[in-house]
Amino acid sequence: MNITIVGTGYVGLGTAIMLAYLGYRVTGLDTDLQKIERLRAGDLPIYEPGLDELLRQAQGNLTWTTSYEESIPKADIIFICVGTPALPSGQPNLTYLESAARSVARNLDGKTQIIVNKSTVPIGTADWMTRILEEHAVHYHTNRYDIVSNPEFLREGTALSDSLYPDRIVLGGRPWAVARLHELYAPLIEQSFTPPPHVPRPSGYTRPAVVNTTLTSAEMIKYAANAFLALKISYANEMAGLCECVGADIEEVTGGIGLDARIGTRFLAAGAGWGGSCFGKDTSALVSTGEEYGYDMPILRAAIDVNRRQRTLVIEKLQRHLRLLKGKRVAVLGMAFKPNTDDLRDAPAHDFIARLASLGASVVAYDPVAMPRARQEWGHLQYSEARSASAALAGADAVIIATEWDEFRLLDWDAAVLTMRTRVVIDARNLLRMPLSVAATVEQIGKDAGPAPTMAQASA
């Protein structure tokens, strides 16, 4: 099969390279010429562990272009993987999706072709896209072109493993189109491919479940899955607040309840709250969809409120110890919304930096991977860059751990804290496991901070 992937962001690139590795001829299409030129040179525009190596292995099956006219007519299956960012109302912005769908429709060539929607979209979008095909496709016929909803469930930082060894593949659409996707995904379903050496097949993994369903149910599955994970995170954070009140330890609590197989430990971690491109957007989209039908969703609204509160809580913890922040130097460790990615979308660190600057603090930030992207996307923020985590802490009055990078876990915290002017550590990711051996104030989420040293002790 010839495959065309429209959109070369995190989802599109991962999908394109994975399918090329499986042996398909894949064309990656994007209107951003600079991005396409980088890809033609073998340079990835995003950071994802192991993706560069898989790109090298699959390079012979990949072509990159900015032309719909070149790539759409020859494709048997066309994946649309463009962004659907949230509008101020909470509803997804479908501008990019509509533009891509129109351009695809105008260049379909009359043979049987399937358009696969991999973008996260509002429920009912597939029907809307079908109308676009009817209006703009030459030689349109109901049995010639069809839409399949095939939502992705990738986690940034582990996208390769999630792509090659998924726990489920969801396919929504008419039976003949879904059957064609079964053919495409046969190597994944049967696990008949040779695993890449750097992404081995997990021990005990057999094959993914395949969910064949309707277009509407497939779209709903994606939103419902992300909303449930968001709920787990907000639940853990709400329990963490009560743990601080009564003197319990949130990690012991979540560890204990997570042993119940009905609950599980994954996504039950207290901290600075969720970020990234999915959870906030998808929970808001579900609430907005409910409003369209006069259906209130109080549980999701509460999850959104709790997540928003966590970012304020971190700054409140800092103010509790430093009092006035004006003139203070605060280090922020981690800028990406999670480790092993350079994705800055809805990152808690963004809100921390913005709030600290508004309170008059001088902010110095460091991230092992995301600083180059932050120079492009966070030009509106006031902060300086540090060359390392240790350099960020030197002379600082306080530090906020905003992303749980392994590099920060391995930092010699006793030595680094000694270089601080006032030793206040706000561990918003509960990353530190052992008490520091030097006098310092360490605040975590959902844990008793214990008696804090005086400012004189902390500076001694």
Side-chain angles (χ1 to χ4, degrees), residues 309-325:
R309 184 178 68 189
Q310 287 306 111
R311 302 190 184 190
T312 303
L313 174 68
V314 170
I315 301 301
E316 289 175 350
K317 286 178 177 288
L318 187 62
Q319 289 176 308
R320 191 179 306 139
H321 297 288
L322 292 185
R323 306 300 183 186
L324 295 175
L325 294 180

Side-chain angles (χ1 to χ4, degrees), residues 265-349:
T265 57
R266 297 175 67 186
F267 289 86
L268 203 59
W274 72 65
S277 64
C278 294
F279 288 172
K281 176 171 66 71
D282 294 354
T283 50
S284 295
L286 273 180
V287 170
S288 296
T289 300
E291 289 174 346
E292 293 174 2
Y293 292 88
Y295 184 76
D296 190 27
M297 307 191 78
I299 295 177
L300 285 186
R301 289 184 188 277
I304 294 169
D305 291 342
V306 169
N307 196 66
R308 189 180 299 118
R309 184 178 68 189
Q310 287 306 111
R311 302 190 184 190
T312 303
L313 174 68
V314 170
I315 301 301
E316 289 175 350
K317 286 178 177 288
L318 187 62
Q319 289 176 308
R320 191 179 306 139
H321 297 288
L322 292 185
R323 306 300 183 186
L324 295 175
L325 294 180
K326 189 175 182 64
K328 300 294 197 303
R329 178 183 172 92
V330 180
V332 175
L333 294 187
M335 301 166 82
F337 85 92
K338 64 180 290 188
N340 297 319
T341 182
D342 62 349
D343 195 344
L344 300 169
R345 289 175 289 184
D346 196 27

Side-chain angles (χ1 to χ4, degrees), residues 232 253-266 268:
K232 290 189 73 174
V253 171
T254 55
I257 67 176
L259 292 173
D260 187 326
R262 298 169 299 175
I263 298 174
T265 57
R266 297 175 67 186
L268 203 59

Side-chain angles (χ1 to χ4, degrees), residues 2-4 71-78 109 111-114:
N2 286 316
I3 312 298
T4 291
S71 58
I72 298 303
K74 66 183 180 182
D76 299 301
I77 299 177
I78 300 147
D109 79 341
K111 68 174 181 290
T112 299
Q113 292 176 289
I114 296 173

Side-chain angles (χ1 to χ4, degrees), residues 414 432-438 442:
D414 286 336
L432 300 177
R433 291 303 183 199
M434 299 297 291
L436 301 183
S437 61
V438 299
V442 178

